[in-house]
Amino acid sequence: GPFAVSEWDPSGDLTFVKNEYYWQEGKPYIDELVYKVVDDDNQALNQLLAGEIDGIEDLSLSNAANVDGNADTKTATSFSYNVEELFFNTLDEHFSDEHVRRALAMAIDRESLTKALTFGYAEIANSVLPRTLLYQTNDTVNAISYDIDAAKEELAQSAYPDGFDTTISIASGNNTRLQEAQIIQAAGAQIGINIEINAQEISTFRSDFRDLNFSMMINSATADYPDANSIFAFQVDNNETAADLMRKGQVTPDGDERAAVYEELQQILADEVPYIPLYNSENVVGLRDNVEGFTVLPNGSVHFEDVYFEE
């Protein structure tokens, strides 16, 4: 790679230095690269605007306009492999009930949520596959739509017709996720589901996610490579039919037959909602105006070998 690790603070910050033996002669153009962990979106924005840092790798969409509107900063974007999702823990007694999941899906106005929180940098997601991947059915899948009356009727068919108390987990310091949680909280309240927001420090959030120690949580699903299986392989275990279709898709050559397999699979996921796709966003990075040569890829990873500072 273009850089070698120089210093590492286990609590966060990481310093790289130029790799003199990098295979592309003359690159990288910068001698040192420092990754700083800033837990709060607004604090990161203020540091960028003040020139204390040169970039924000994961810029909050709510702050993108501030970066674009400042004379000394700019944004870099790319089409994304990310889908923002509300994940249910189907081992939880409430969310093992399909009627509960469907009721909450009907109670959330995803179109309004997307418009309010993504500032034109995202589109509503009807499928778990982002628009950037082949075989996504975002425009053709029959997704659950916003309908409060239907949501109440759906919940009445569940084991909890009078509602219940639950929690939604988010990583603290992410303003967009907090607002998403608040919108979902308000949606649940309309049908008798009382949701407490559990904002956790990022390491605790990740640990609880891995240990399935949550009821609901907001996170993004990201394809690591440009194939539908990169999403399905870690998100399909809701029933045996879905799992069989996922495995069939893995061994079916590209073409109409594979498209049909994934179309059926996406409809099952849309009907049973083991998770609710919210929106498919762009990757947005905030930069100082003199930073050139920066590349952000659809999977959110970034390249620094061509970066230089314009004098």
Side-chain angles (χ1 to χ4, degrees):
F3 297 95
V5 174
S6 173
E7 297 179 22
W8 175 47
D9 178 353
S11 65
D13 294 355
L14 185 60
T15 301
F16 299 89
V17 293
K18 179 176 182 176
N19 179 7
E20 298 179 0
Y21 305 101
Y22 185 50
W23 65 276
Q24 295 190 64
E25 187 174 353
K27 296 182 181 181
Y29 301 128
I30 55 178
D31 295 324
E32 185 179 73
L33 172 65
V34 179
Y35 260 82
K36 296 181 66 65
V37 175
V38 182
D39 290 329
D40 184 80
D41 291 338
N42 290 328
Q43 183 182 356
L45 174 65
N46 291 334
Q47 290 183 17
L48 180 69
L49 297 178
E52 297 173 9
I53 58 176
D54 298 299
I56 301 174
E57 183 171 314
D58 188 14
L59 180 66
S60 168
L61 299 181
S62 61
N63 289 334
N66 289 329
V67 172
D68 272 332
N70 185 282
D72 298 321
T73 56
K74 61 186 177 182
T75 59
T77 64
S78 74
F79 291 108
S80 166
Y81 291 160
N82 294 334
V83 176
E84 188 80 350
E85 297 184 30
L86 172 63
F87 289 84
F88 296 114
N89 182 354
T90 55
L91 298 178
D92 182 288
E93 62 178 356
H94 301 113
F95 299 112
S96 64
D97 191 321
E98 182 181 323
H99 293 295
V100 169
R101 302 194 304 267
R102 286 177 55 85
L104 193 54
M106 293 172 185
I108 299 172
D109 185 347
R110 295 180 299 120
E111 184 174 359
S112 295
L113 180 151
T114 301
K115 288 180 178 178
L117 300 183
T118 64
F119 307 92
Y121 290 98
E123 296 181 352
I124 186 173
N126 293 320
S127 165
V128 298
L129 291 186
R131 285 186 176 274
T132 45
L133 291 188
L134 186 64
Y135 305 123
Q136 59 82 20
T137 59
N138 202 70
D139 294 330
T140 58
V141 67
N142 184 22
I144 292 175
S145 58
Y146 173 58
D147 188 329
I148 290 295
D149 291 336
K152 293 176 180 178
E153 292 174 5
E154 189 75 32
L155 189 65
Q157 300 178 58
S158 75
Y160 309 94
D162 298 322
F164 55 90
D165 298 335
T166 188
T167 61
I168 184 170
S169 298
I170 59 170
S172 59
N174 186 313
N175 294 334
T176 301
R177 293 261 168 86
L178 175 58
Q179 292 176 77
E180 290 171 11
Q182 290 169 339
I183 290 171
I184 294 167
Q185 182 184 51
Q190 293 186 78
I191 60 173
I193 300 177
N194 303 309
I195 302 171
E196 179 183 352
I197 298 173
N198 180 25
Q200 301 174 292
E201 190 274 328
I202 186 64
S203 62
T204 302
F205 174 80
R206 289 172 175 167
S207 176
D208 281 357
F209 175 33
R210 288 192 295 268
D211 294 340
L212 299 178
N213 184 26
F214 67 93
S215 295
M216 291 187 290
M217 67 102 177
I218 301 174
N219 210 340
S220 60
T222 303
D224 293 322
Y225 53 93
D227 186 87
N229 184 64
S230 64
I231 289 285
F232 290 137
F234 73 93
Q235 284 197 223
V236 176
D237 60 359
N238 51 307
N239 66 39
E240 193 57 38
T241 300
D244 285 345
L245 287 168
M246 182 267 291
R247 288 189 285 266
K248 184 176 181 181
Q250 290 174 333
V251 297
T252 302
D254 278 330
D256 291 344
E257 184 180 353
R258 195 176 192 219
V261 169
Y262 285 150
E263 181 178 9
E264 183 179 355
L265 176 54
Q266 286 170 87
Q267 189 58 60
I268 291 174
L269 298 176
D271 291 337
E272 298 185 3
V273 284
Y275 25 75
I276 302 174
L278 299 173
Y279 56 82
N280 178 202
S281 65
E282 294 183 46
N283 292 315
V284 184
V285 172
L287 299 169
R288 295 294 295 177
D289 194 52
N290 64 337
V291 176
E292 301 292 342
F294 183 91
T295 301
V296 55
L297 301 181
N299 66 357
S301 60
V302 293
H303 282 202
F304 290 99
E305 66 268 25
D306 294 321
V307 168
Y308 65 95
F309 291 92
E310 189 177 60
E311 296 182 358

